[in-house]
Amino acid sequence: MKSAVVIFPGSNCEMDTVLAIEKISGRTPEKVWHKDSLPSDTDLVVLPGGFSYGDYLRVGAIAKVSPVMQSVQRHAEAGGLTIGICNGFQILLECGLLPGAMMRNRGLHFVCKWTNLKVTRNDTPFTRFSKDVLHIPVAHATGNYFVEPGKLQEIEDRGQVLFRYCTPEGELTDAANPNGSLNSIAGITNEQGNVLGLMPHPERAINKELGSADGILFWESVLGAQTVSTP
Amino acid sequence: MQPQVEITPEIVAEHGLTPDEYQSVLSILGRVPTITELGVFSVMWSEHCSYKNSKPLLKTFPTEAPHILQGPGENAGIVDFDDRLAIVFKMESHNHPSALEPYQGAATGVGGILRDIFTMGARPVALLDPLRFGDPANPRTRHLIRGVVEGIADYGNSVGVPTVGGECCFSPSYDGNPLVNVMCIGTIEKDKIIRAVASGAGNLVVYFGNATGRDGIHGATFASTELTEESEEKRSAVQVGDPFVEKKILEATLELIAAGVLVAIQDMGAAGLTCSTAEMAGRGGMGIDVSLDLVPQRAENLSAYEIMLSESQERMLAICTPEQLVNVEKILNKWDLEAHVLGTLNDTGMMKISHAGEVVANLPADQISENSPVYEREATKPAYMADLPNANDWRPDTDVDLKSEWLAFVASANICSKKWIYEQYDHMVQTQTTTSPGDNAAVLTLHGSDDRLAITTDGNGLYCYVDPCEGGKLAVAEAARNVACSGARPLAITNCLNFGSPLKPEIFFQLSKAVKGIGEACRALNTPVTGGNVSLYNENQNGAIWPTPVIGMVGKISAPTKALKGGFPQAGLEVYLLGRSHSNLGASEYLHWKTGDAYTPCPECDLAQEAALVEILVEGAREGILSSAHDCGVGGLAATLSECFLWSPTNCGAELELNAAEPNLTGVCNVIFGEAAGRVVVSLHPDREEDFLRLCTRYRMELAYLGKTIEEDKLTIAFPTGPVAFSRDELASAYYSMESIFPSTEADVPMH
């Protein structure tokens, strides 16, 4: 599988993401500068975390019109695997590749801490593993997921919610929700299931010494997924 | 153009220059300075840039050892780490700007220290923030802490450098004059180090980064005077930060250095363009000729004086050969930055500045940067130190309930967990952080190295107030203990010396004694000083702050040794206390909390014992003898044992016994709240007990057996006065209560 990590000015998790993909797949992903386009044979594209364009205007708003995003959009619409982590998730929302929007965290502060994620299904390219609670950290100020009630029902009914904040035992409680997201949502896919946005950072959870290796399950699932070629 | 101003004695005084200093200016120039030149001397000879009042003291620090690659005098110090990597580190203060505008003051402090690190070619890998605030109940304190923490968070998080540790202490002594110190650590391949020394006549002077505005004019001189009511009006001296530009200049600078297209580079920090041109030229014995018309400007009609003194943030000054300019431009353009060639280097040794067709300054560069005035100030022992009351005279109330006392103390602002602060900092980005901020030291794995880096910051203003020499030693000793508790060998220190006005003999006494103590401890522990920062004139309406030297220390855990943490890792371990078993309440946080006045003699620092402790911890970690280690510092055993228990996994507790010299309540209070120095609580597997005891005997370490860790979520301690037991929940709700002191629902009242 050929993967690519997009770098915007202000991205700051791109190296962590590159290292995670390298460690799990043994292959170095293409680093794609925001002024360029994705290589045509890309199977997986990751928009990493950070503060693209300094979060100016609104999180993800300027990245949306960055040159690279036209090819990302084409890749995603053609069914190519696409992941947005943290700021990457915010960018996917801005582009309309995923439904909903992000609000400022409920506590109004940036929050960096370990969270537990309930995995809702194991039949997607991102979750082909049996563990149902993952220990993965968050680090964001704007991760309070919102979508209008009717749409929320739709994405729930279609099984688009892949990850929810929970207790270590897998219970959904208010205290386990770090930002006030609706239905404790931490990660969702598009209707087709090939585009994933998630606020937690699986690239930060690939080494027990750093707190958890649960992210390896996620990356193994994604990187071992059936490749879908882009036109 | 420069303003046509006649240089009167009043103008000279306004620039913070003494009549004697002005005489030196006249003799250096052989004429009356222009107003721009006066401004240049004013900032370059401020304490912040010249260390004129502290230089004779700082010279006494030990600065050399085989592992020190760069000592004081550069943008940052450098220590050898492994075959390939070196560690670049430095600490700075941003106290005065933060007192007036906490958010921007703290944010730009982070920006400045990051630039000190990456201008040497190092990638910043960690930040630590030692903070001091006034009384937590004071609304001004609440405004300051919110702003400072948010400023640090927004800047550091955005640039993508994890904030992995620091400290936060409160005392009315810091009311109105908070301390905001920032330490940054970077890594560099040893053969890639670049220094800020200009060379090569005909080489180009290239400016990039933010345009220049009016912000921060006279920041450096402002940082060298006392805060008064009028300071509030000097708000324009506070700069405004933009972390997005910082991130771009960081990446661009590292790319420029990696590509080998630069001769030298320096950031424009304190004293802006003045300091960067004078220092780079001065260090290299070069002359520099620049035109201010070529400086990108974001305000209209800036005078030469303003351009030279502006402290607009995120600006860099580089030297490159004319041939390399095209390559420099290519890299800068990639990051949407522009190269502005301001002028050239020459052999004249003169710093020549022109603006609008006029030479506005023409000065010998080395005279202003390297030959600033130096003063030997007068020191007088303050009267209050003469007869401090004995802490042994203090008696607890006879009806005090030990358990509720312990819980209330653990919930107090100085002892409770600082999670409320550090969860606002991204402490994990770059995926090298193995510890939660708050543990002994921050421990980082470094990409490309098998060894682990340990970092800590420590300092205790109360100890230094009652005994600055002993306090200075204790700050270094505590830092070494924290680094060693993680299993690391201490390597070197940087420091930030936060004091009042050196013109007052009592304050200069504090400064000189603290420097003496720090130097002695650094010699004893083989941790040379690689640089640092002096922040003087920290005073408010009530006088000087507690003298507060803060030590930043780095250490190394050699592979394959695993880092130790402070929490008990599992049940079934033996628990010991290394160091003196008995203690009193002298200068303790408990007395400070209880009575508001803890001015009693501080613990004594036994440097030989501290050095032995380091050896035991390093060897104990290396040989796998120790399972955990946690320093016993501020808050005594009450704080340490609470943390050992709360940082353990659930279903792991401890059953301990503490003896007291006096088998009564007073004795027990001394044991649990006393802060005798040189103590560490360790746990170890029963199989390793024999090795452990042999190790302690070899270093003649005093020790006491405390008990065992158990498979129950409970901390039980038997005292001569009876047992006390805590469940995890009750202790946790006290310890993790900082949010209730600073609730996020409370409206922030700026109180400008």
Side-chain angles (χ1 to χ4, degrees), chain B residues 194-215:
Chain B
I194 181 166
R195 292 186 168 82
V197 180
S199 65
N203 282 343
L204 305 178
V205 180
V206 182
Y207 170 125
F208 66 92
N210 266 337
T212 296
R214 284 202 170 81
D215 43 338

Side-chain angles (χ1 to χ4, degrees), chain A residues 161-179:
Chain A
V161 178
L162 289 201
F163 303 106
R164 294 181 211 273
Y165 302 109
C166 66
T167 64
E169 294 75 33
E171 276 175 78
L172 306 182
T173 65
D174 193 53
N177 182 343
N179 51 33

Side-chain angles (χ1 to χ4, degrees), chain B residues 233-574:
Chain B
E233 288 158 25
K234 288 200 184 170
R235 201 180 307 269
S236 73
V238 179
Q239 316 85 335
V240 176
D242 182 342
F244 178 52
V245 178
E246 179 93 347
K247 174 71 173 164
K248 291 199 298 179
I249 63 171
L250 184 165
E251 297 298 341
T253 300
L254 293 181
E255 265 191 58
L256 288 168
I257 293 171
V261 297
L262 298 182
V263 173
I265 184 162
Q266 177 149 356
D267 75 303
M268 286 183 248
L273 192 54
T274 296
C275 190
S276 51
T277 48
E279 283 192 358
M280 272 207 291
R283 283 189 195 126
M286 298 298 295
I288 192 165
D289 190 345
V290 302
S291 164
L292 300 184
D293 302 317
L294 302 170
V295 172
Q297 295 162 36
R298 66 173 180 222
E300 281 181 29
N301 301 322
L302 286 176
S303 69
Y305 179 92
E306 289 171 315
I307 297 170
M308 285 305 283
L309 300 185
S310 163
E311 291 190 359
S312 291
Q313 296 289 293
E314 295 96 17
R315 299 179 304 158
M316 304 295 288
L317 200 69
I319 307 290
C320 73
T321 62
E323 297 74 39
Q324 288 290 4
L325 181 63
V326 58
N327 295 321
V328 171
E329 281 174 332
K330 203 183 290 167
I331 290 171
L332 290 179
N333 292 345
K334 174 187 164 189
W335 291 97
D336 297 324
L337 297 164
E338 213 179 317
H340 302 271
V341 178
L342 303 186
T344 52
L345 294 182
N346 57 49
D347 289 326
T348 62
M350 298 298 283
M351 168 176 164
K352 187 171 145 202
I353 312 291
S354 22
H355 190 224
E358 196 184 345
V359 175
V360 294
N362 196 8
L363 309 159
D366 60 337
Q367 292 287 327
I368 44 176
S369 69
E370 311 291 298
N371 292 320
S372 49
V374 176
Y375 300 110
E376 299 271 358
R377 296 289 178 198
E378 192 188 328
T380 310
K381 186 172 179 173
Y384 72 82
M385 284 182 197
D387 45 1
L388 292 170
N390 191 326
N392 293 333
D393 297 340
W394 188 82
R395 288 281 174 277
D397 296 336
T398 45
D399 59 350
V400 71
D401 172 54
L402 213 49
K403 179 169 173 173
S404 27
E405 189 79 346
W406 179 304
L407 287 172
F409 181 58
V410 163
S412 68
N414 279 336
I415 302 299
C416 70
S417 164
K418 302 303 178 288
K419 195 165 92 161
W420 175 78
I421 294 177
Y422 69 70
E423 281 188 352
Q424 297 185 49
Y425 302 151
D426 188 341
H427 46 275
M428 304 176 189
V429 64
Q430 297 192 21
T431 53
Q432 303 185 118
T433 317
T434 73
T435 43
S436 250
D439 214 313
N440 300 308
V443 177
L444 268 62
T445 60
L446 297 178
H447 298 307
S449 175
D450 293 330
D451 301 326
R452 306 280 178 270
L453 173 68
I455 321 155
T456 185
T457 62
D458 289 288
N460 185 316
L462 176 52
Y463 292 172
C464 289
Y465 181 77
V466 296
D467 188 339
C469 183
E470 217 59 16
K473 285 188 217 166
L474 286 166
V476 179
E478 187 182 353
R481 235 180 287 135
N482 276 324
V483 163
C485 277
S486 70
R489 178 166 296 285
L491 292 176
I493 72 153
T494 177
N495 60 63
C496 204
L497 305 175
N498 307 279
F499 286 78
S501 166
L503 308 181
K504 298 177 183 165
E506 289 80 10
I507 303 297
F508 193 73
F509 178 88
Q510 294 173 342
L511 178 62
S512 60
K513 289 292 176 192
V515 165
K516 180 169 178 276
I518 291 169
E520 273 179 39
C522 287
R523 280 187 190 88
L525 298 166
N526 192 24
T527 53
V529 180
T530 62
N533 168 249
V534 177
S535 172
L536 304 179
Y537 307 96
N538 287 290
E539 309 221 346
N540 54 27
Q541 290 87 330
N542 306 322
I545 58 155
W546 280 345
T548 312
V550 176
I551 304 299
M553 186 179 280
V554 295
K556 173 181 168 177
I557 306 174
S558 298
T561 303
K562 287 272 182 301
L564 294 176
K565 293 193 178 183
F568 295 137
Q570 64 185 82
L573 303 177
E574 310 291 347

